[in-house]
Amino acid sequence: MRNFKKIPNPKFQIPKVIILMGPPGAGKGTQAELLAGKLDLYHLETSKILEEKFQEKARSVVLIDGKKYGVAKERKLWEKGKLCSPEFVAYLTIEKIKELSKSAKGIVFSGSPRTLYEAEKIIPILEKIYGKKNIKVFLLEIPPEETIFRNSHRRICELMRHPILYLKENEKLKRCPLDGSRLIKRGKLDKPETIRVRLKEYKERTYPVIEYLKKRKIKVEKINGSPPPAIVFENILKKLK
Ligand SMILES: [Zn+2]
């Protein structure tokens, strides 16, 4: 009998946690999907966690450290391209990390932690669960013009929210190649004026996260996000060897 159990590739020191950072449209989501598939990690997306929460009743409230956070208020910030309250995001993220750690699953983060506050809450927990040496951080870099172009042309699938890149080959695509669901635009979130707000927020609030990681002796590897996704992916895998 042949054994079909998945054998880990010995060439890779499989890290338990990969954190992908970078401006909107840098390809964090795409690379996270690729890494999740290749290394059997759970793809943890802040936007997905938030969007799930926003499906709840508009009047629901989350209590964190004795303070109330209204879900409807957080949704409004989100729709304007502003960041949600860091406390609210960190709380939801930590809930998810704890749930995943029970099944000993590794995680790839795309776009989180995005504030210093979130990092200060989340990183120590990750270090405790997975160990500092098992945390790898990549910063995907693309120029601002590219952020705006990529985001205003991006689509996602309706069912699983798979990101569909803007490529000539994809222009006529109507349905998701993975699950056949309809491709949609994210509306407000991907309008150029919203993207400019997100870019500004990114610069002001994400950069201190990188400084914080460096202070904790967690290496941040810079990766050029401009080449096609397959090349970027190869470059990330090289750094994981
Ligand atoms: Zn899909």
Side-chain angles (χ1 to χ4, degrees):
M1 271 280 268
R2 278 192 63 183
N3 187 358
F4 285 106
K5 230 174 83 184
K6 219 175 184 176
I7 299 158
N9 186 342
K11 263 181 17 197
F12 293 105
Q13 263 186 359
I14 298 177
K16 289 288 200 283
V17 174
I18 298 175
I19 297 172
L20 299 176
M21 303 183 70
K28 300 183 292 289
T30 304
Q31 294 303 324
E33 284 292 313
L34 292 169
L35 288 163
K38 177 105 180 169
L39 305 174
D40 193 26
L41 306 170
Y42 179 87
H43 178 193
L44 196 153
E45 277 173 286
T46 306
S47 58
K48 218 179 230 173
I49 294 179
L50 289 171
E51 282 167 8
E52 266 170 32
K53 193 77 192 167
F54 293 153
Q55 303 295 318
E56 288 181 14
K57 275 192 305 233
R59 279 162 71 191
S60 69
V61 160
V62 176
L63 194 68
I64 306 160
D65 293 334
K67 218 183 138 194
K68 285 177 184 170
Y69 294 84
V71 172
K73 200 178 152 204
E74 297 295 332
R75 181 168 54 207
K76 264 190 196 136
L77 289 171
W78 173 247
E79 284 172 350
K80 276 188 214 148
K82 298 248 178 200
L83 294 183
C84 297
S85 303
E87 295 85 353
F88 182 75
V89 177
Y91 173 83
L92 296 181
T93 309
I94 289 165
E95 273 197 332
K96 193 75 192 175
I97 293 168
K98 285 184 176 162
E99 184 195 317
L100 290 167
S101 70
K102 279 183 206 147
S103 58
K105 185 103 175 149
I107 308 174
V108 53
F109 288 87
S110 62
S112 152
R114 61 179 96 184
T115 62
L116 182 59
Y117 176 91
E118 268 176 60
E120 285 172 344
K121 289 277 176 189
I122 292 166
I123 299 296
I125 289 174
L126 290 173
E127 284 180 358
K128 206 170 152 198
I129 297 174
Y130 296 96
K132 201 190 281 272
K133 69 175 192 330
N134 292 320
I135 302 174
K136 304 277 179 196
V137 184
F138 295 99
L139 177 62
L140 300 178
E141 297 182 306
I142 57 165
E145 322 79 79
E146 217 170 310
T147 289
I148 290 164
F149 181 85
R150 284 188 179 185
N151 281 277
S152 52
H153 288 80
R154 119 193 259 245
R155 292 181 296 171
I156 56 168
C157 85
E158 210 168 27
L159 187 65
M160 300 293 291
R161 316 193 78 75
H162 292 123
I164 305 297
L165 292 176
Y166 180 76
L167 299 170
K168 234 179 143 27
E169 292 83 346
N170 289 343
E171 244 176 8
K172 290 203 178 108
L173 209 60
K174 293 264 184 328
R175 292 189 172 268
C176 176
L178 296 170
D179 53 52
S181 71
R182 277 199 321 138
L183 298 183
I184 52 169
K185 284 221 170 198
R186 293 198 308 174
K188 257 188 186 171
L189 264 185
D190 289 333
K191 288 226 167 81
E193 56 275 23
T194 314
I195 298 157
R196 277 190 200 100
V197 175
R198 286 167 66 205
L199 203 52
K200 194 165 165 275
E201 295 257 343
Y202 166 75
K203 279 187 191 148
E204 285 171 5
R205 298 174 85 167
T206 310
Y207 216 73
V209 173
I210 294 162
E211 293 305 307
Y212 170 78
L213 291 169
K214 284 180 184 166
K215 243 187 271 165
R216 286 190 87 92
K217 307 259 186 304
I218 295 175
K219 201 174 168 196
V220 177
E221 294 268 15
K222 287 184 181 174
I223 298 278
N224 179 1
S226 290
I231 309 284
V232 176
F233 185 51
E234 280 306 312
N235 290 337
I236 292 174
L237 288 179
K238 269 183 214 156
K239 301 271 186 188
L240 290 174
K241 271 180 193 171

